[in-house]
Amino acid sequence: MVIVGGNGFLGNHLRQHFQQLGYRVVIISRNLHTGPDSVQWDARTLGPWAAELEGAAVLMNMAGRTVDCRYSEANKREIIASRVESTRVLGEAVAACAVPPNVWLNSSTATIYADTEGDKPANTEAAGVIGTGFSVEVARSWEAAFDACFAPATRKVALRTSIVLGRDGGAFPVMAKLARLGLCTPQGTGRQWVSWLHITDFCRAVEFLISQTEEAGAFNVCAPNPLPNREFNALLGRQLRPLLRLPQPKWLLEIGAFFLRTETELILKSRKVYPQRLLELGFEFRYPTCGQAITDLLAS
């Protein structure tokens, strides 16, 4: 298994999960690491790294600049370019393989769907409404670059992944820390939907898509029970029991985002997404509800 851009939270968990299954896992990243299974690349041009794809069972691409930043014009260009260029050059490498990877999973995001509030149906792969705005532009550009890669001998899967919750990385440790300080109240109106996934189910879903189906195309990789932001924060509050509960109106979040050099869209956009294709193929979630996931992640 070759994981591109695999040195972060998700990549580390995937590496451990698939090594336990008996895979040799090779990490390709911009950073130079020692060891026989770590390879450096520049994410733009072909190089010696491309040899790692020859005969691989799985190619997993997670490369891309973080979106947790201010959306300046320079940052916007870099966010999109880092995804499009890395996907394009991987396509060139796959096309050059005598024995290309069996399956290529390319990251995307559940944020591709429109802001979905209230009782509107959740977005499925077949009936989802594609949104507008910068974050949607990122997802559409990423998937378009992936679609353009000619790989007739390789099954291609786009992972429209929601926020992934884990103890040791990603957003959840920050959420829990803030909740302990009293910030477990609704953010903004609190009516925006939160689509989420436990890290264990993320790894299990990737394994399922590799080994239990021959389906290709876009998959929503999220738990089947999204919930409003108000309820998500209430779950944290009931678990962590802070002495104070501080309000989080939108204007205050805007000020905080400015000083933290991030954007409020990451918490205020309503993401209501449903994993219809995974469920229809028989995937069973270990943590189908957010209450179960949070209880597990906060267990000592």
Side-chain angles (χ1 to χ4, degrees), residues 23-64:
Y23 283 76
R24 174 184 168 230
V25 179
V26 175
I27 304 295
I28 297 178
S29 71
R30 290 176 178 269
N31 300 320
L32 180 61
H33 293 266
T34 58
D37 294 333
S38 297
V39 180
Q40 191 175 27
W41 77 331
D42 65 3
R44 295 189 305 274
T45 56
L46 288 172
W49 60 266
E52 300 294 342
L53 276 57
E54 189 68 51
V58 183
L59 169 60
M60 175 78 181
N61 178 28
M62 309 177 73

Side-chain angles (χ1 to χ4, degrees), residues 118-268:
D119 295 329
K120 293 180 180 179
N123 292 287
T124 65
E125 297 91 343
V129 178
I130 304 301
T132 58
F134 173 66
S135 59
V136 174
E137 180 186 352
V138 172
R140 295 184 70 166
S141 298
W142 206 355
E143 291 193 11
F146 186 43
D147 290 342
C149 294
F150 183 68
T154 298
R155 179 165 60 94
K156 294 163 60 183
V157 177
L159 304 177
R160 293 177 175 173
T161 308
S162 66
I163 182 174
V164 179
L165 308 179
R167 293 189 187 95
D168 57 344
F172 187 74
V174 176
M175 294 175 177
K177 180 179 180 180
L178 293 174
R180 289 187 177 94
L181 298 174
L183 295 175
C184 54
T185 51
Q187 291 160 321
T189 67
R191 293 193 294 269
Q192 68 273 27
W193 289 86
V194 179
S195 287
W196 59 276
L197 184 67
H198 191 290
I199 183 61
T200 296
D201 280 332
F202 173 76
C203 294
R204 292 178 62 248
V206 170
E207 178 190 347
F208 181 89
L209 289 169
I210 290 168
S211 62
Q212 300 300 314
T213 180
E214 290 298 318
E215 293 291 314
F219 278 83
N220 292 342
V221 185
C222 57
N225 294 292
L227 74 170
N229 175 276
R230 180 183 301 275
E231 294 180 18
F232 181 89
N233 281 290
L235 287 172
L236 288 175
R238 285 196 292 273
Q239 289 278 343
L240 297 172
R241 300 178 180 275
L243 295 176
L244 297 174
R245 299 191 183 229
L246 305 172
Q248 301 184 78
K250 182 178 179 181
W251 66 265
L252 186 60
L253 295 173
E254 294 284 0
I255 294 173
F258 176 80
F259 285 104
L260 292 173
R261 310 312 299 161
T262 188
E263 293 286 344
T264 57
E265 183 199 41
L266 299 176
I267 53 175
L268 294 181

Side-chain angles (χ1 to χ4, degrees), residues 44-106:
R44 295 189 305 274
T45 56
L46 288 172
W49 60 266
E52 300 294 342
L53 276 57
E54 189 68 51
V58 183
L59 169 60
M60 175 78 181
N61 178 28
M62 309 177 73
R65 187 199 193 283
T66 179
V67 296
D68 187 9
C69 62
R70 297 297 287 179
Y71 289 165
S72 66
E73 290 305 314
N75 284 344
K76 285 181 178 181
R77 288 193 297 271
E78 187 176 348
I79 287 168
I80 292 177
S82 65
R83 286 158 173 76
V84 170
E85 291 178 3
S86 59
T87 300
R88 174 191 55 77
V89 76
L90 282 172
E92 294 178 6
V94 169
C97 286
V99 182
N102 293 332
V103 57
W104 175 3
L105 299 100
N106 211 68

